[in-house]
Amino acid sequence: MWVKSRVVILECPLSPGRWCTYRLNCKDVAMDKQQEFVLRTLEERDIRFVRLWFTDVLGYLKSVAVAPAELEQAFDEGIGFDGSAIEGFARVYESDMIAKPDPGTFQILPWRAEAPGTARMFCDILMPDGSPSFADPRYVLKRILAKTSDLGFTFYTHPEIEFFLLKDKPVDGSRPTPADSSGYFDHTPQNVGMDFRRQAITMLESMGISVEFSHHEGAPGQQEIDLRYADALSTADNIMTFRLVMKQVALEQGVQATFMPKPFSEYPGSGMHTHLSLFEGDRNAFYESGAEYQLSKVGRSFIAGLLTHAAEISAVTNQWVNSYKRIWGCLLLCIRDSPRTSAGATTTAPH
């Protein structure tokens, strides 16, 4: 497929002052194959709405819908928006920003699959001069992955995502109610989570997101779905899609999905355990035969980096007070069991 015909008007070189119309046919400009696939699919599947997604620095999903007729220009120039209205993106006097869709992330939304359908693509956020925005979380990850690749490494991640299903959306500070009373690995016919997980996983896999495991977690209403490992950028995109899919399926089944870390004081909180893998070609860069714990020098350095930057990482990944309520009992235990000073005062618990 080639770019559709375009009309240009130029001054005739043989007759100054006279303007001639020229038509550029489809062979004049070639299009990226992935963009070609997207535009062809929009026409074949009767997709009328294309949602362009990106996230702010707090991880909230943002979206703007464009008509298919505007998508070709969006691929070339992006879509302008007010960056100062997005948390952490830009100050008022530098508000102009551009969202440029990544055609490699194109997927049809399964809950909007019937004609006229809806699709989505993640975007890269650019400044008006075309340079990447340093406030774009996706670009931050892509920049680090590029450095990783330059060193000869490939970084893979595998998340285990926990969340709660609630009977109703809590209002006016009322206590939330779990959607079921089941526990860890429980398999019971009245468990609403079984049908929920089945539909949710089917929807994820229809969008190309592979699932490894799913089960009921330890607390009433608590679910866990583990995604198959992928490169870190694909995992990040998959997690943002995952959260929206869970909320969408929950609404269809008359319940509410929440990723709040600790919605119940008496039950375990939810987390997202993420397995990290670093490969150098086909070799596990963390493994070294005969080394202590079979851990290579690269592996030890990797762990040291995580510990060194734990505070900064926590500021980004755990911004809410509720995140730390998950470990409140542990903090109290640390304070109670910590050594006392000569004056008899208890030392400060570790951060």
Side-chain angles (χ1 to χ4, degrees):
M1 183 178 177
W2 302 83
V3 174
K4 297 179 181 179
S5 300
R6 302 187 185 198
V7 174
V8 295
I9 301 175
L10 300 174
E11 187 174 10
C12 182
L14 299 180
S15 303
R18 181 182 176 187
W19 297 87
C20 302
T21 299
Y22 297 86
R23 181 172 293 275
L24 297 176
N25 61 38
C26 60
K27 294 184 179 180
D28 290 321
V29 184
M31 181 177 294
D32 176 86
K33 289 184 178 180
Q34 189 63 39
Q35 295 180 14
E36 172 190 331
F37 166 77
V38 171
L39 295 176
R40 184 175 65 246
T41 303
L42 294 180
E43 184 175 353
E44 293 175 352
R45 299 287 296 272
D46 191 22
I47 303 298
R48 302 287 183 85
F49 304 93
V50 182
R51 295 195 174 275
L52 306 184
W53 289 1
F54 60 95
T55 61
D56 63 16
V57 296
L58 297 180
Y60 284 110
L61 184 64
K62 303 294 181 179
S63 173
V64 56
V66 299
E70 305 300 321
L71 195 57
E72 190 175 312
Q73 182 176 354
F75 281 139
D76 292 337
E77 304 174 6
I79 301 293
F81 68 97
D82 180 6
S84 67
I86 305 296
E87 189 73 37
F89 263 32
R91 292 162 289 197
V92 174
Y93 60 83
E94 55 184 14
S95 60
D96 292 339
M97 302 186 85
I98 298 169
K100 194 168 185 179
D102 178 353
T105 63
F106 176 82
Q107 286 288 346
I108 296 173
L109 299 181
W111 61 91
R112 291 286 189 269
E114 295 182 3
T118 302
R120 71 94 162 104
M121 280 181 285
F122 283 95
C123 293
D124 295 313
I125 305 302
L126 309 176
M127 303 303 291
D129 62 1
S131 62
S133 167
F134 287 93
D136 176 18
R138 198 166 186 266
Y139 170 67
V140 172
L141 178 57
K142 290 174 71 174
R143 187 177 76 237
I144 297 302
L145 292 178
K147 292 181 179 179
T148 303
S149 179
D150 290 342
L151 295 172
F153 297 112
T154 307
F155 186 49
Y156 298 101
T157 51
H158 157 55
E160 302 178 6
I161 309 174
E162 299 173 352
F163 58 97
F164 278 91
L165 294 180
L166 309 177
K167 284 187 177 180
D168 299 295
K169 184 177 181 179
V171 292
D172 300 327
S174 61
R175 185 185 184 279
T177 304
D180 60 57
S181 58
S182 300
Y184 189 68
F185 270 40
D186 277 358
H187 184 96
T188 51
Q190 71 272 18
N191 183 352
V192 67
M194 292 177 63
D195 285 338
F196 172 88
R197 294 193 301 272
R198 180 177 181 274
Q199 183 179 345
I201 292 169
T202 300
M203 194 172 286
L204 287 172
E205 293 186 337
S206 73
M207 299 184 71
I209 300 174
S210 297
V211 173
E212 277 196 339
F213 308 106
S214 68
H215 60 86
H216 198 286
E217 253 297 337
Q222 191 177 32
Q223 318 295 320
E224 178 177 318
I225 298 179
D226 302 353
L227 304 185
R228 186 174 297 276
Y229 83 93
D231 66 275
L233 182 62
S234 295
T235 299
D237 291 343
N238 289 345
I239 289 172
M240 294 307 302
T241 305
F242 178 98
R243 296 201 313 188
L244 186 64
V245 168
M246 296 304 110
K247 290 178 179 292
Q248 180 65 36
V249 174
L251 288 174
E252 292 178 3
Q253 296 198 4
V255 293
Q256 295 284 327
T258 177
F259 292 86
M260 185 177 180
K262 184 75 170 175
F264 301 97
S265 60
E266 68 272 35
Y267 299 136
S270 294
M272 187 177 74
H273 307 133
T274 304
H275 301 260
L276 311 177
S277 304
L278 194 66
F279 275 77
E280 192 171 13
D282 294 330
R283 185 182 68 84
N284 182 354
F286 289 160
Y287 175 78
E288 182 181 329
S289 178
E292 187 177 11
Y293 307 116
Q294 312 296 316
L295 191 62
S296 69
K297 182 179 179 181
V298 169
R300 295 195 298 272
S301 296
F302 190 95
I303 294 172
L306 291 176
L307 294 174
T308 299
H309 297 288
E312 295 95 321
I313 293 171
S314 298
V316 175
T317 61
N318 302 76
Q319 313 101 331
W320 315 112
V321 172
N322 191 253
S323 299
Y324 302 94
K325 289 184 177 180
R326 291 183 65 247
I327 55 175
W328 183 245
C330 176
L331 289 178
L332 290 177
L333 185 64
C334 291
I335 293 173
R336 185 195 67 187
D337 295 341
S338 60
R340 295 180 175 272
T341 65
S342 58
T346 302
T347 58
T348 303
H351 294 288

Coordinates of all heavy atoms in Angstrom, one line a residue, residues 232-293:
A232 N 11.0 -5.6 28.4 CA 10.5 -4.7 29.4 C 9.5 -3.6 28.8 O 8.5 -3.3 29.4 CB 11.6 -3.9 30.1
L233 N 9.7 -3.2 27.6 CA 8.8 -2.2 27.0 C 7.5 -2.8 26.7 O 6.4 -2.2 27.0 CB 9.4 -1.6 25.7 CG 8.6 -0.5 25.0 CD1 8.4 0.7 25.9 CD2 9.2 -0.1 23.7
S234 N 7.5 -4.0 26.1 CA 6.2 -4.7 25.9 C 5.5 -5.0 27.2 O 4.2 -4.9 27.2 CB 6.5 -6.0 25.1 OG 7.0 -5.8 23.8
T235 N 6.2 -5.4 28.2 CA 5.6 -5.6 29.5 C 4.9 -4.4 30.0 O 3.8 -4.4 30.6 CB 6.6 -6.1 30.5 OG1 7.1 -7.4 30.1 CG2 5.9 -6.4 31.9
A236 N 5.6 -3.2 29.9 CA 5.0 -2.0 30.4 C 3.7 -1.6 29.7 O 2.7 -1.3 30.3 CB 6.0 -0.8 30.2
D237 N 3.7 -1.8 28.3 CA 2.5 -1.6 27.6 C 1.4 -2.6 28.0 O 0.2 -2.2 28.1 CB 2.8 -1.7 26.1 CG 3.7 -0.6 25.5 OD1 3.8 0.5 26.2 OD2 4.2 -0.7 24.4
N238 N 1.8 -3.8 28.2 CA 0.8 -4.9 28.5 C 0.2 -4.6 29.9 O -1.0 -4.9 30.0 CB 1.5 -6.2 28.5 CG 1.9 -6.7 27.1 OD1 1.4 -6.2 26.1 ND2 2.8 -7.7 27.1
I239 N 1.0 -4.1 30.8 CA 0.4 -3.8 32.1 C -0.6 -2.7 32.1 O -1.7 -2.8 32.7 CB 1.5 -3.5 33.1 CG1 2.3 -4.8 33.5 CG2 0.9 -2.9 34.4 CD1 3.6 -4.5 34.3
M240 N -0.4 -1.7 31.3 CA -1.4 -0.6 31.2 C -2.6 -1.1 30.5 O -3.7 -0.7 30.9 CB -0.8 0.6 30.4 CG 0.4 1.3 31.0 SD 0.1 1.9 32.7 CE -1.3 2.9 32.4
T241 N -2.5 -2.0 29.5 CA -3.6 -2.6 28.9 C -4.4 -3.5 29.8 O -5.6 -3.5 29.9 CB -3.2 -3.3 27.6 OG1 -2.5 -2.5 26.8 CG2 -4.4 -3.9 26.9
F242 N -3.6 -4.3 30.6 CA -4.1 -5.2 31.6 C -5.1 -4.5 32.6 O -6.2 -5.0 32.8 CB -3.0 -5.9 32.3 CG -3.4 -6.8 33.4 CD1 -3.4 -8.2 33.2 CD2 -3.7 -6.4 34.7 CE1 -3.8 -9.1 34.2 CE2 -4.1 -7.3 35.7 CZ -4.1 -8.6 35.4
R243 N -4.6 -3.4 33.1 CA -5.5 -2.7 34.1 C -6.8 -2.3 33.5 O -7.8 -2.4 34.2 CB -4.7 -1.5 34.7 CG -3.4 -1.8 35.4 CD -3.0 -0.8 36.4 NE -2.9 0.6 35.8 CZ -2.4 1.6 36.4 NH1 -1.9 1.5 37.6 NH2 -2.4 2.8 35.8
L244 N -6.8 -1.7 32.3 CA -8.0 -1.3 31.7 C -8.9 -2.5 31.4 O -10.1 -2.4 31.6 CB -7.7 -0.5 30.4 CG -8.9 0.1 29.7 CD1 -9.5 1.2 30.6 CD2 -8.6 0.7 28.4
V245 N -8.3 -3.6 30.9 CA -9.1 -4.8 30.6 C -9.8 -5.3 31.9 O -11.0 -5.7 31.9 CB -8.2 -5.9 30.0 CG1 -9.0 -7.2 29.9 CG2 -7.8 -5.5 28.5
M246 N -9.1 -5.4 33.0 CA -9.7 -5.9 34.2 C -10.8 -5.0 34.7 O -11.9 -5.5 35.1 CB -8.6 -5.9 35.4 CG -7.5 -6.8 35.1 SD -7.9 -8.5 34.8 CE -7.5 -8.7 33.1
K247 N -10.7 -3.7 34.6 CA -11.8 -2.8 35.0 C -13.0 -2.9 34.0 O -14.1 -2.9 34.4 CB -11.3 -1.4 35.0 CG -10.3 -1.1 36.2 CD -9.8 0.3 36.2 CE -8.9 0.6 37.4 NZ -9.6 0.5 38.7
Q248 N -12.7 -3.1 32.7 CA -13.8 -3.3 31.8 C -14.6 -4.6 32.0 O -15.8 -4.6 32.0 CB -13.2 -3.3 30.3 CG -14.2 -3.4 29.2 CD -15.1 -2.2 29.2 OE1 -14.8 -1.1 29.4 NE2 -16.4 -2.5 28.8
V249 N -13.8 -5.7 32.2 CA -14.5 -7.0 32.4 C -15.3 -6.9 33.7 O -16.4 -7.4 33.8 CB -13.5 -8.1 32.4 CG1 -14.2 -9.4 32.8 CG2 -12.8 -8.3 31.1
A250 N -14.7 -6.3 34.7 CA -15.4 -6.2 36.0 C -16.8 -5.4 35.8 O -17.8 -5.8 36.4 CB -14.6 -5.5 37.0
L251 N -16.8 -4.3 35.1 CA -18.0 -3.6 34.9 C -19.0 -4.4 34.1 O -20.2 -4.4 34.5 CB -17.7 -2.3 34.0 CG -16.9 -1.2 34.8 CD1 -16.6 -0.1 33.8 CD2 -17.8 -0.6 35.9
E252 N -18.6 -5.2 33.2 CA -19.5 -6.1 32.4 C -20.1 -7.1 33.3 O -21.2 -7.6 33.1 CB -18.8 -6.7 31.3 CG -18.3 -5.8 30.2 CD -17.6 -6.4 29.0 OE1 -17.4 -7.7 29.1 OE2 -17.1 -5.7 28.1
Q253 N -19.4 -7.5 34.4 CA -19.9 -8.6 35.3 C -20.5 -8.0 36.5 O -20.9 -8.7 37.5 CB -18.8 -9.5 35.6 CG -18.2 -10.3 34.4 CD -17.4 -11.5 34.8 OE1 -17.3 -11.9 36.0 NE2 -16.9 -12.2 33.8
G254 N -20.7 -6.7 36.6 CA -21.4 -6.1 37.7 C -20.6 -6.0 39.0 O -21.2 -5.9 40.1
V255 N -19.2 -6.0 38.9 CA -18.4 -5.8 40.1 C -17.4 -4.7 39.7 O -17.4 -4.2 38.7 CB -17.6 -7.1 40.4 CG1 -18.6 -8.2 40.9 CG2 -16.8 -7.7 39.2
Q256 N -16.5 -4.4 40.7 CA -15.5 -3.4 40.6 C -14.2 -4.0 40.8 O -14.0 -4.8 41.7 CB -15.8 -2.2 41.6 CG -17.1 -1.5 41.4 CD -17.0 -0.5 40.2 OE1 -16.0 0.1 39.9 NE2 -18.2 -0.3 39.6
A257 N -13.2 -3.6 39.9 CA -11.8 -4.0 40.1 C -11.0 -2.8 40.6 O -11.1 -1.7 40.1 CB -11.2 -4.5 38.7
T258 N -10.2 -3.1 41.6 CA -9.3 -2.1 42.2 C -7.9 -2.6 42.4 O -7.7 -3.7 42.8 CB -9.9 -1.5 43.5 OG1 -8.9 -0.6 44.0 CG2 -10.0 -2.6 44.6
F259 N -7.0 -1.7 42.0 CA -5.5 -2.0 42.2 C -5.0 -1.3 43.4 O -3.7 -1.2 43.5 CB -4.8 -1.7 40.9 CG -5.1 -2.6 39.7 CD1 -6.2 -2.3 38.9 CD2 -4.4 -3.7 39.5 CE1 -6.6 -3.1 37.9 CE2 -4.7 -4.6 38.4 CZ -5.8 -4.3 37.6
M260 N -5.8 -0.8 44.2 CA -5.4 -0.1 45.5 C -4.6 -1.1 46.3 O -4.9 -2.3 46.5 CB -6.6 0.3 46.3 CG -6.3 1.1 47.5 SD -7.9 1.6 48.3 CE -7.3 2.5 49.7
P261 N -3.4 -0.7 46.8 CA -2.5 -1.7 47.4 C -3.1 -2.3 48.7 O -2.9 -3.5 48.9 CB -1.3 -0.8 47.8 CG -1.3 0.3 46.8 CD -2.7 0.6 46.6
K262 N -3.9 -1.6 49.5 CA -4.3 -2.1 50.7 C -5.8 -1.6 51.0 O -6.0 -0.7 51.8 CB -3.4 -1.6 51.9 CG -3.7 -2.2 53.2 CD -3.3 -3.7 53.4 CE -3.4 -4.1 54.9 NZ -3.1 -5.5 55.0
P263 N -6.8 -2.1 50.3 CA -8.1 -1.6 50.6 C -8.8 -2.1 51.8 O -9.7 -1.6 52.3 CB -8.9 -2.2 49.3 CG -8.1 -3.4 48.9 CD -6.7 -3.1 49.2
F264 N -8.2 -3.2 52.4 CA -8.8 -3.8 53.7 C -7.6 -3.9 54.7 O -6.6 -4.4 54.5 CB -9.3 -5.2 53.4 CG -10.4 -5.2 52.4 CD1 -10.1 -5.6 51.1 CD2 -11.7 -4.9 52.8 CE1 -11.2 -5.6 50.2 CE2 -12.7 -4.9 51.8 CZ -12.5 -5.3 50.5
S265 N -7.9 -3.4 55.9 CA -6.9 -3.4 57.0 C -6.7 -4.8 57.5 O -5.6 -5.2 57.9 CB -7.3 -2.5 58.1 OG -8.5 -2.8 58.7
E266 N -7.7 -5.7 57.4 CA -7.6 -7.0 58.0 C -7.2 -8.1 57.1 O -7.0 -9.2 57.5 CB -9.0 -7.4 58.7 CG -10.1 -7.6 57.7 CD -10.9 -6.4 57.3 OE1 -10.3 -5.3 57.2 OE2 -12.1 -6.5 57.1
Y267 N -7.1 -7.7 55.8 CA -6.7 -8.7 54.8 C -5.3 -8.4 54.1 O -4.9 -7.2 54.2 CB -7.7 -8.8 53.7 CG -9.1 -9.3 54.1 CD1 -10.3 -8.6 53.7 CD2 -9.3 -10.3 55.0 CE1 -11.5 -9.0 54.1 CE2 -10.5 -10.7 55.5 CZ -11.6 -10.1 55.0 OH -12.9 -10.4 55.4
P268 N -4.7 -9.3 53.5 CA -3.4 -9.0 52.8 C -3.6 -8.0 51.7 O -4.7 -8.0 51.1 CB -2.9 -10.3 52.3 CG -3.6 -11.4 53.1 CD -5.0 -10.8 53.5
G269 N -2.6 -7.2 51.5 CA -2.7 -6.2 50.4 C -2.3 -6.8 49.1 O -1.9 -8.0 49.0
S270 N -2.4 -6.0 48.0 CA -2.1 -6.5 46.7 C -0.7 -5.9 46.3 O -0.4 -4.8 46.6 CB -3.1 -6.0 45.6 OG -4.4 -6.7 45.9
G271 N 0.0 -6.7 45.5 CA 1.3 -6.2 45.0 C 1.4 -6.6 43.6 O 0.6 -7.3 43.0
M272 N 2.6 -6.3 43.0 CA 2.9 -6.7 41.6 C 4.4 -7.2 41.6 O 5.3 -6.5 41.4 CB 2.7 -5.6 40.6 CG 2.9 -6.2 39.2 SD 2.6 -4.9 37.9 CE 4.1 -3.9 38.1
H273 N 4.5 -8.5 42.0 CA 5.9 -9.1 42.0 C 6.3 -9.2 40.5 O 5.7 -9.7 39.7 CB 5.8 -10.5 42.6 CG 5.2 -10.5 44.0 ND1 4.3 -11.4 44.3 CD2 5.4 -9.7 45.0 CE1 3.9 -11.2 45.6 NE2 4.6 -10.2 46.0
T274 N 7.5 -8.6 40.3 CA 8.0 -8.6 38.9 C 9.4 -9.3 38.8 O 10.3 -8.9 39.5 CB 8.2 -7.1 38.4 OG1 6.9 -6.5 38.6 CG2 8.6 -7.1 37.0
H275 N 9.4 -10.3 38.1 CA 10.7 -11.1 37.9 C 11.5 -10.4 36.8 O 11.0 -10.0 35.8 CB 10.4 -12.5 37.5 CG 9.5 -13.3 38.5 ND1 10.0 -14.2 39.4 CD2 8.2 -13.2 38.7 CE1 9.0 -14.7 40.1 NE2 7.9 -14.1 39.7
L276 N 12.8 -10.3 37.1 CA 13.7 -9.6 36.2 C 14.7 -10.5 35.6 O 15.3 -11.3 36.3 CB 14.4 -8.4 36.9 CG 13.5 -7.5 37.7 CD1 14.4 -6.5 38.5 CD2 12.5 -6.8 36.8
S277 N 14.9 -10.5 34.3 CA 15.9 -11.3 33.6 C 16.8 -10.5 32.7 O 16.3 -9.6 32.0 CB 15.3 -12.4 32.8 OG 14.4 -13.2 33.5
L278 N 18.1 -10.7 32.8 CA 19.1 -10.0 31.9 C 19.8 -11.0 31.1 O 20.5 -11.9 31.7 CB 20.0 -9.2 32.8 CG 20.8 -8.1 32.0 CD1 19.9 -7.0 31.4 CD2 21.9 -7.5 33.0
F279 N 19.8 -10.9 29.8 CA 20.4 -11.9 28.9 C 21.5 -11.2 28.1 O 21.3 -10.1 27.6 CB 19.4 -12.6 28.1 CG 18.8 -13.8 28.7 CD1 17.8 -13.6 29.7 CD2 19.2 -15.1 28.4 CE1 17.2 -14.7 30.3 CE2 18.7 -16.2 29.1 CZ 17.7 -16.0 30.0
E280 N 22.6 -11.9 27.9 CA 23.6 -11.5 26.9 C 23.6 -12.5 25.8 O 24.2 -13.6 25.9 CB 25.0 -11.4 27.6 CG 26.0 -10.7 26.8 CD 27.3 -10.5 27.7 OE1 27.4 -11.1 28.7 OE2 28.1 -9.7 27.2
G281 N 22.9 -12.2 24.7 CA 22.7 -13.2 23.7 C 21.7 -14.2 24.2 O 20.6 -13.9 24.7
D282 N 22.1 -15.5 24.2 CA 21.3 -16.6 24.8 C 21.7 -16.9 26.2 O 21.2 -17.9 26.8 CB 21.4 -17.8 23.9 CG 20.8 -17.6 22.5 OD1 19.8 -16.7 22.4 OD2 21.2 -18.2 21.5
R283 N 22.7 -16.2 26.8 CA 23.2 -16.5 28.1 C 22.6 -15.7 29.2 O 22.4 -14.5 29.0 CB 24.7 -16.3 28.1 CG 25.5 -16.7 29.3 CD 26.9 -16.4 29.3 NE 27.2 -15.0 29.3 CZ 27.3 -14.3 30.4 NH1 27.1 -14.8 31.6 NH2 27.5 -13.0 30.3
N284 N 22.2 -16.4 30.3 CA 21.7 -15.7 31.4 C 22.8 -14.9 32.1 O 23.7 -15.5 32.7 CB 21.1 -16.7 32.4 CG 20.5 -16.1 33.6 OD1 20.5 -14.8 33.8 ND2 19.8 -16.9 34.5
A285 N 22.8 -13.6 32.0 CA 23.8 -12.7 32.5 C 23.9 -12.7 34.1 O 24.9 -12.3 34.6 CB 23.7 -11.3 32.0
F286 N 22.9 -13.2 34.7 CA 22.9 -13.2 36.2 C 23.5 -14.5 36.7 O 23.8 -14.6 37.9 CB 21.4 -13.2 36.8 CG 20.8 -11.8 36.6 CD1 19.4 -11.7 36.7 CD2 21.5 -10.7 36.4 CE1 18.8 -10.5 36.5 CE2 21.0 -9.4 36.3 CZ 19.6 -9.3 36.3
Y287 N 23.7 -15.5 35.9 CA 24.2 -16.8 36.3 C 25.7 -17.0 36.1 O 26.2 -16.6 35.0 CB 23.4 -17.9 35.6 CG 23.9 -19.3 35.9 CD1 23.5 -19.9 37.1 CD2 24.8 -20.0 35.0 CE1 24.0 -21.2 37.4 CE2 25.2 -21.3 35.3 CZ 24.8 -21.9 36.5 OH 25.3 -23.1 36.8
E288 N 26.4 -17.6 37.1 CA 27.8 -17.9 37.0 C 28.0 -19.2 37.7 O 27.9 -19.2 39.0 CB 28.7 -16.8 37.5 CG 30.2 -17.1 37.3 CD 31.1 -16.0 37.8 OE1 30.7 -14.9 37.8 OE2 32.2 -16.4 38.3
S289 N 28.3 -20.3 37.1 CA 28.6 -21.6 37.7 C 29.7 -21.5 38.7 O 30.8 -20.9 38.3 CB 28.8 -22.6 36.6 OG 29.1 -23.9 37.2
G290 N 29.5 -22.0 39.9 CA 30.6 -22.0 40.9 C 30.7 -20.8 41.7 O 31.4 -20.8 42.8
A291 N 30.0 -19.7 41.3 CA 30.1 -18.5 42.1 C 29.1 -18.6 43.3 O 28.3 -19.5 43.4 CB 29.6 -17.3 41.3
E292 N 29.3 -17.8 44.3 CA 28.4 -17.8 45.5 C 27.0 -17.6 45.1 O 26.7 -16.6 44.4 CB 28.9 -16.8 46.5 CG 28.1 -16.9 47.8 CD 28.6 -15.8 48.8 OE1 29.4 -14.9 48.5 OE2 28.2 -16.0 50.0
Y293 N 26.1 -18.4 45.5 CA 24.7 -18.4 45.1 C 24.5 -18.5 43.6 O 23.5 -18.2 43.1 CB 24.0 -17.1 45.6 CG 24.2 -16.9 47.1 CD1 24.9 -15.8 47.5 CD2 23.7 -17.8 48.0 CE1 25.1 -15.5 48.9 CE2 23.9 -17.5 49.4 CZ 24.5 -16.4 49.8 OH 24.7 -16.2 51.1

